[in-house]
Amino acid sequence: MEKVLESRGLWFAYDDDYVLEDISVSVDRSDFVAIVGPNGGGKTTLVKLITGLLQPTMGTLTVLGGPPAKAGSRIGYVPQFSTMDASFPITVLEVVLQGLFHKSMIGPAWKRDAVEQGLRSLEQLGIADLAGRHFGQLSGGQKQRTLLARALVSSPELLILDEPTSSVDIAVEEDIYELFKELNSVMTILLVTHDITFVSSYVNKVMCLNRRSACHATEEIALERERIAPYGHKVTEIRHQCGL
Amino acid sequence: MDSVIPLYLFTFTAALLSGIAAGIAGTFVVTRRLAVMSGGLAHAVLGGIGLAVFLSFEPLWGALAAALLFVLILVLGKNRLGEREDTVIAALWSLGMALGVLFISLTPGYTVDLLSYLFGNILLVTAKNLFALAILDLFLILGVVLFKKHILYVSFDEEYSAMRGLPVNLMSLLFLGVIAVTIVLLTRIVGLVLVIALLALPASAANLFSRHLTSMMILASLFAVLFNSAGLGISYLLNLPSGAMIIIVSAAGYGAARAVRVLMKRKREAPEG
């Protein structure tokens, strides 16, 4: 079966500092993978390599059976919105339609079926009534849903989420994870997160990343969870377990 | 030729044409957070003007060359050498002005009115300047109509745009180029020290009332035309410097827009009835 993601001996350096060393991972269809690791451990860099924003220094990386740059339109990506400019003049619907935009679309108007598709995507996330609102004025949870709608509007095969719940409260967080679980039946999901405890009941693989990587099935993690109480040590402990 | 057109008509045409360019390019400046870069570029342009005066050819070409060179050095310094952007801007800002002053002082029979380059003078605007502004306006309007969505999405989320295959780097360079050319043409009217306010203030005021990028551009252009006309009118009636008057009116206009925004919000939040 075609792998959604496969890397062999993947190295990446900004200037001379290696951020990723010899990463070999593979992700199958319908996997729900959590990527965990300390800040500076290379999580964001790996996501940028997968989405084709960076090129590997050494090694190979295939996404959906080809080079990452070719996979862009088949990937749904949800970035952290906390870095976005809240006063930028754009409506919720316009944000969502970016998920359908292609550089060949010249002219100011949208086709009607694109708009309908965008509205359906907002409906799926329960925020169709916000379509005309200014994106910057939404609450954290609403922004998160809007960016998720943008990622989902093109029916992607791979969904990549970068700290999707970092700026929302617990109740919203649970809602969002239930939604991910549902989506996982039709697409592969890669989730970058700090919070492995919460996530482990949803994912089937955990990728620990601290320059080097190791993959676990979640059963191992579940056992670990009992023993490792304080948040700050979890990641190190797991990494230690797999002998890195 | 110039003297055939009545002064008030000429002045209003200048206000209109420069306002449109200021509104559109100003929207790029504000939404892409390029105000400091634009300010530095405007000042550095004096180097090109000075050299042109020294070699006695058209100052406009010197200014244009300096502006594009500024963009080139900034992009290369940042992307290739990894130098900090604000440091490059600060260095080029001062260096440009230093070269400008040097060349102008070296010019035999020093006759250039340095103040008019620094602070603008509507009386020195020529029909050729207006024609160049009209072409720029046309280019900007056409560009926005054709590439509205490209501009919107690259400005809103550059990373996502890159992922979806948009030529993000080329577009960023084009934004800088458009801003550079606009600044050069606007300096004839408000001067290179003041031009950044003409770009930033109307667009920032428009941002307060806009949910769409294009409506922000249209409103910013309207504000800029209004501020320009009012500033020029006051300067004519009271015999005060035109460039300075335009900027003071723009600042007052921005303040008024802020106040209106606060009132609108209060009204919306007030209980019904």
Side-chain angles (χ1 to χ4, degrees):
Chain A
M1 199 168 80
E2 185 198 63
K3 297 276 185 195
V4 171
L5 181 72
E6 190 157 40
S7 78
R8 285 225 182 91
L10 181 69
W11 294 66
F12 182 82
Y14 293 101
D15 297 322
D16 296 326
D17 298 322
Y18 278 93
V19 183
L20 295 175
E21 294 180 1
D22 198 19
I23 306 286
S24 296
V25 290
S26 82
V27 172
D28 296 307
R29 266 188 202 277
S30 309
D31 271 351
F32 191 155
V33 184
I35 304 178
V36 295
N39 285 331
K43 300 191 299 277
T44 305
T45 304
L46 184 61
V47 168
K48 284 186 176 174
L49 286 163
I50 296 168
T51 50
L53 295 174
L54 293 173
Q55 267 66 51
T57 312
M58 268 189 292
T60 58
L61 175 66
T62 20
V63 180
L64 297 165
K70 289 250 165 81
S73 57
R74 293 158 71 196
I75 298 175
Y77 173 52
V78 184
Q80 295 183 43
F81 62 80
S82 49
T83 56
M84 288 179 165
D85 178 2
S87 50
F88 190 90
I90 190 166
T91 63
V92 169
L93 181 61
E94 283 176 320
V95 173
V96 174
L97 289 174
Q98 185 175 18
L100 294 174
F101 180 64
H102 184 267
K103 63 183 171 196
S104 64
M105 296 179 179
I106 308 287
W110 281 99
K111 288 212 173 88
R112 181 186 284 186
D113 49 333
V115 173
E116 276 166 11
Q117 219 174 317
L119 288 171
R120 266 201 305 279
S121 189
L122 282 169
E123 229 159 76
Q124 188 191 356
L125 288 156
I127 49 169
D129 54 319
L130 300 179
R133 288 270 294 277
H134 183 195
F135 176 71
Q137 286 166 357
L138 302 183
S139 71
Q142 291 168 334
K143 276 184 189 163
Q144 195 62 63
R145 280 165 189 270
T146 305
L147 294 181
L148 198 53
R150 175 178 74 170
L152 295 175
V153 70
S154 57
S155 312
E157 292 160 63
L158 171 63
L159 180 63
I160 303 175
L161 308 148
D162 194 355
E163 304 275 0
T165 52
S166 61
S167 323
V168 298
D169 57 44
I170 302 274
V172 178
E173 190 171 5
E174 269 182 18
D175 270 10
I176 289 182
Y177 277 111
E178 284 303 321
L179 178 67
F180 292 161
K181 206 166 144 186
E182 224 173 275
L183 291 170
N184 190 217
S185 61
V186 286
M187 63 188 73
T188 312
I189 301 183
L190 273 183
L191 172 75
V192 175
T193 181
H194 279 97
D195 195 356
I196 184 64
T197 354
F198 190 75
V199 128
S200 58
S201 53
Y202 294 95
V203 301
N204 72 323
K205 261 186 200 167
V206 176
M207 190 191 294
C208 300
L209 205 58
N210 189 7
R211 287 213 296 178
R212 294 173 163 270
S213 79
C215 256
H216 309 260
T218 30
E219 296 82 70
E220 299 169 47
I221 306 290
L223 290 171
E224 283 303 308
R225 231 184 339 156
E226 305 298 310
R227 269 189 286 149
I228 306 158
Y231 167 76
H233 296 289
K234 269 180 309 229
V235 175
T236 343
E237 287 284 317
I238 293 166
R239 199 163 56 83
H240 192 71
Q241 274 290 306
C242 50
L244 276 172
Chain B
M1 187 51 192
D2 287 2
S3 56
V4 183
I5 312 166
L7 183 65
Y8 73 90
L9 196 63
F10 192 82
T11 308
F12 180 72
T13 312
L16 180 73
L17 294 176
S18 61
I20 293 170
I24 296 174
T27 298
F28 297 153
V29 169
V30 169
T31 56
R32 298 181 65 80
R33 294 164 190 258
L34 295 171
V36 173
M37 192 284 304
S38 306
L41 186 145
H43 284 77
V45 152
L46 190 67
I49 293 173
L51 184 64
V53 168
F54 179 66
L55 301 174
S56 59
F57 59 91
E58 173 63 48
L60 185 72
W61 295 117
L64 213 53
L68 296 177
L69 191 65
F70 181 98
V71 169
L72 195 71
I73 297 175
L74 179 66
V75 171
L76 287 179
K78 194 177 125 196
N79 297 350
R80 291 286 152 84
L81 303 177
E83 190 52 87
R84 294 175 188 85
E85 188 172 338
D86 63 332
T87 310
V88 181
I89 291 169
L92 293 177
W93 177 322
S94 310
L95 179 64
M97 294 212 81
L99 289 172
V101 169
L102 182 73
F103 283 125
I104 289 173
S105 75
L106 284 176
T107 305
Y110 173 57
T111 52
V112 191
D113 182 6
L114 189 59
L115 275 184
S116 83
Y117 284 112
L118 295 181
F119 301 104
N121 186 347
I122 186 70
L123 297 175
L124 294 181
V125 175
T126 62
K128 221 160 61 181
N129 293 150
L130 294 191
F131 185 67
L133 271 174
I135 303 253
L136 175 66
D137 288 343
L138 214 64
F139 173 80
L140 287 174
I141 291 168
L142 203 68
V144 169
V145 169
L146 288 179
F147 298 105
K148 179 202 148 177
K149 297 195 281 270
H150 297 70
I151 295 168
L152 173 70
Y153 290 133
V154 169
S155 304
F156 172 64
D157 190 341
E158 211 168 290
E159 249 185 24
Y160 205 91
S161 299
M163 191 187 94
R164 295 194 59 90
L166 263 81
V168 169
N169 290 333
L170 175 71
M171 287 190 64
S172 297
L173 204 61
L174 278 175
F175 281 124
L176 293 179
V178 162
I179 291 167
V181 173
T182 307
I183 286 174
V184 167
L185 294 184
L186 291 181
T187 46
R188 291 313 289 136
I189 295 167
V190 288
L192 52 88
V193 176
L194 303 178
V195 68
I196 181 56
L198 186 57
L199 289 171
L201 288 171
S204 298
N207 199 172
L208 298 173
F209 307 99
S210 308
R211 273 182 306 168
H212 300 279
L213 191 67
T214 31
S215 56
M216 176 171 165
M217 287 175 181
I218 294 168
L219 197 57
S221 295
L222 284 175
F223 281 154
V225 171
L226 185 73
F227 299 162
N228 277 343
S229 312
L232 288 169
I234 294 170
S235 100
Y236 177 73
L237 289 175
L238 304 178
N239 196 24
L240 292 169
S242 55
M245 226 41 241
I246 289 175
I247 300 309
I248 291 164
V249 169
S250 300
Y254 174 79
R258 268 278 166 205
V260 168
R261 184 84 191 107
V262 169
L263 289 176
M264 276 167 65
K265 218 171 175 180
R266 277 220 194 116
K267 204 170 177 189
R268 204 183 309 145
E269 280 161 12
E272 294 286 312

